[in-house]
Amino acid sequence: MNGKKIILGVTGSIAAYKAAFLVRALIRRGAEVQVVMTPAAKEFITPLTMATLSRKPVVSEFFSSRDGSWNSHVELGLWADAMLVAPATASTIAKMANGVADNMLVTTYLSCKAPVFVAPAMDLDMYAHATTQQNLSRLQSFGNHIIEPDAGELASQLTGKGRMAEPDAIVAVLDDFFASQNSLRKKKVLITAGPTYEKIDPVRFIGNCSSGKMGFAIAEKFAKRGATVHLVAGPVHLQAAHPNIRRTDVESAEEMYSAAVESFTDADIAVLCAAVADYRPENRLNEKMKRENSEQIMLTLVRNRDIAATLGKAKRDGQLLVGFALETNDGLRNAISKLERKNLDMIVLNSLEDEGAGFGSDTNKVTLICRDGDVSGLPLMSKTQTAEEIVKKIVTMIK
């Protein structure tokens, strides 16, 4: 955590006193801390205390009534390596989940480009309420990290889940997160993503509905862990953001095959997420096909070369090969068969029988199947979260 810039958001909870211990723990680990307080938080702990401990003036209002100086939430959001909201009340969680930007803390959150960690603190019934749980799930679906509260005696003198996690536990979460950012440093990763288009003529093609969202999300997660990523992308409208990602755009299965085979020679990990066409037209017309008087036309297709099978045969000791399987029936059996036939180390099973999974959507529901027999079913979650779980699994397999 040494040298990391942390925004600590403090809200109006009795647990705000723990924020003082949090600041000290972060500073001791070499972090630079900027405290942002809601107006209600100042009723529980003074800005003077937090400013003294953080060695920075506390930010609370949009501007100073004395001289009109402006506190820029945009600059704060760009400055930070992470934002931690601790304690996070039910009210602030609801505002964050729904974009209610009526104070400096929430506007900073909405501007923040860095990972965000949320440590809830409230009474047990408030925490258990369906709206709070829905808001937490919503925040998680945006890629935020929720630090589960503890169970114990609460300010209401009831006993149950709702106590903010202890400062040392929260700092450990941040420590682990930053450590993971370099867990794949010096690793080279090949990822294929999106569909392929197999041209019939200059204006028509055989293709599929893959958006590329899953593959691009996986590429971003690998890059954030320090890996050098080569993303071979079919025709999609997505952009890769991380500077560690080198992108090669292709159109056809043959082009993707050539790019993947070449890149695999020095890759440590390959994740084949693309929905590659199995067949292509035998003859591609150079001019647009005209409509004929006949009721039918015959289109002869030939098989494309199999990227996964080729890489599986070429795989050397130390390389990790992960494939995807999209199934409509007998998903588990078909996926295991594909894993074995193509010499994969893991296969990610998508089933179109699961609502919210598959092409085009922002969510996915997958099962991770490893060569050693381990099978892990993940619940429906955002593709960003799904990508995080896939990468975590791959990291454990490398270790």
Side-chain angles (χ1 to χ4, degrees):
M1 200 177 293
N2 188 42
K4 298 299 182 184
K5 300 181 176 74
I6 312 292
I7 296 171
L8 174 60
V10 184
T11 71
S13 162
I14 187 63
Y17 78 90
K18 292 183 180 180
F21 298 96
L22 259 177
V23 172
R24 292 194 69 177
L26 292 168
I27 294 287
R28 281 173 177 167
R29 284 164 175 78
E32 188 177 348
V33 182
Q34 175 61 66
V35 178
V36 179
M37 299 177 70
T38 64
K42 293 187 285 188
E43 301 295 326
F44 292 89
I45 190 168
T46 68
L48 178 60
T49 298
M50 300 306 288
T52 301
L53 293 173
S54 67
R55 306 164 196 167
K56 287 179 179 291
V58 167
V59 174
S60 182
E61 308 298 337
F62 292 108
F63 60 91
S64 170
S65 58
R66 291 198 304 267
D67 58 12
S69 58
W70 175 257
N71 290 317
S72 173
H73 55 278
V74 175
E75 287 182 10
L76 268 178
L78 294 172
W79 170 83
D81 294 305
M83 181 174 184
L84 168 64
V85 183
T89 60
S91 175
T92 292
I93 288 168
K95 289 178 181 181
M96 291 170 67
N98 294 282
V100 181
D102 65 348
N103 61 42
M104 190 68 187
L105 190 153
V106 180
T107 54
T108 300
Y109 160 70
L110 293 174
S111 300
C112 191
K113 302 296 185 185
V116 177
F117 297 80
V118 180
M122 63 198 75
D123 206 60
L124 74 164
D125 293 322
M126 294 175 69
Y127 180 72
H129 198 280
T131 54
T132 302
Q133 291 302 309
Q134 186 177 52
N135 287 331
L136 287 169
S137 296
R138 188 172 171 83
L139 284 179
Q140 212 164 15
S141 74
F142 299 154
N144 298 308
H145 305 263
I146 307 301
I147 302 173
E148 287 286 317
D150 294 332
E153 186 178 353
L154 304 170
S156 63
Q157 298 184 12
L158 297 174
T159 300
K161 191 171 184 178
R163 287 168 56 106
M164 187 181 93
E166 292 303 313
D168 285 346
I170 293 173
V171 171
V173 170
L174 290 176
D175 262 333
D176 290 345
F177 172 80
F178 285 120
S180 75
Q181 299 308 287
N182 291 316
S183 61
L184 294 175
R185 191 168 58 90
K186 297 184 179 180
K187 295 292 185 184
K188 295 181 180 179
V189 181
L190 161 67
I191 297 173
T192 65
T196 64
Y197 289 172
E198 312 303 320
K199 286 290 187 71
I200 298 170
D201 63 20
V203 297
R204 300 180 179 91
F205 61 85
I206 298 170
N208 58 61
C209 301
S210 174
S211 65
K213 291 177 181 178
M214 193 72 255
F216 273 67
I218 291 171
E220 293 289 343
K221 294 298 181 182
F222 270 115
K224 286 179 179 178
R225 286 176 177 260
T228 300
V229 179
H230 182 199
L231 175 62
V232 180
V236 296
H237 298 289
L238 302 174
Q239 297 297 320
H242 202 283
N244 283 8
I245 299 174
R246 174 173 66 90
R247 176 174 175 174
T248 298
D249 289 312
V250 299
E251 183 177 77
S252 68
E254 279 295 301
E255 292 171 346
M256 184 169 283
Y257 177 94
S258 298
V261 168
E262 180 182 354
S263 181
F264 189 63
T265 57
D266 65 347
D268 299 294
I269 303 163
V271 181
L272 307 181
C273 192
V276 185
D278 293 320
Y279 294 89
R280 69 181 186 276
E282 183 177 32
N283 298 306
R284 174 179 167 178
L285 301 178
N286 294 324
E287 296 180 354
K288 180 184 174 183
M289 182 189 298
K290 299 299 183 183
R291 180 169 179 167
E292 303 291 344
N293 291 327
S294 59
E295 292 298 318
Q296 297 179 338
I297 62 168
M298 297 295 292
L299 192 63
T300 302
L301 303 178
V302 295
R303 187 189 295 271
N304 283 317
R305 289 186 287 182
D306 190 320
I307 297 173
T310 300
L311 300 191
K313 288 178 182 177
K315 186 177 65 169
R316 64 180 186 274
D317 289 344
Q319 283 184 306
L320 195 71
L321 182 59
V322 178
F324 272 66
L326 179 65
E327 301 293 341
T328 58
N329 63 288
D330 295 329
L332 191 60
R333 181 165 61 86
N334 289 333
I336 291 172
S337 173
K338 183 176 179 180
L339 178 144
E340 292 172 347
R341 284 184 289 108
K342 302 191 179 184
N343 194 26
L344 306 176
D345 297 290
M346 183 173 82
I347 193 163
V348 182
L349 170 62
N350 282 278
S351 175
L352 289 181
E353 296 176 305
D354 294 322
E355 186 176 351
F359 291 148
S361 69
D362 292 322
T363 56
N364 211 352
K365 184 178 180 181
V366 304
T367 301
L368 309 183
I369 306 165
C370 297
R371 178 166 285 280
D372 64 6
D374 180 56
V375 178
S376 305
L378 302 181
L380 183 70
M381 57 180 70
S382 72
K383 286 186 174 175
T384 299
Q385 288 177 283
T386 304
E388 178 67 22
E389 293 304 315
I390 292 170
V391 174
K392 281 182 182 178
K393 186 65 174 180
I394 291 170
V395 170
T396 63
M397 292 170 71
I398 292 171
K399 290 179 179 178

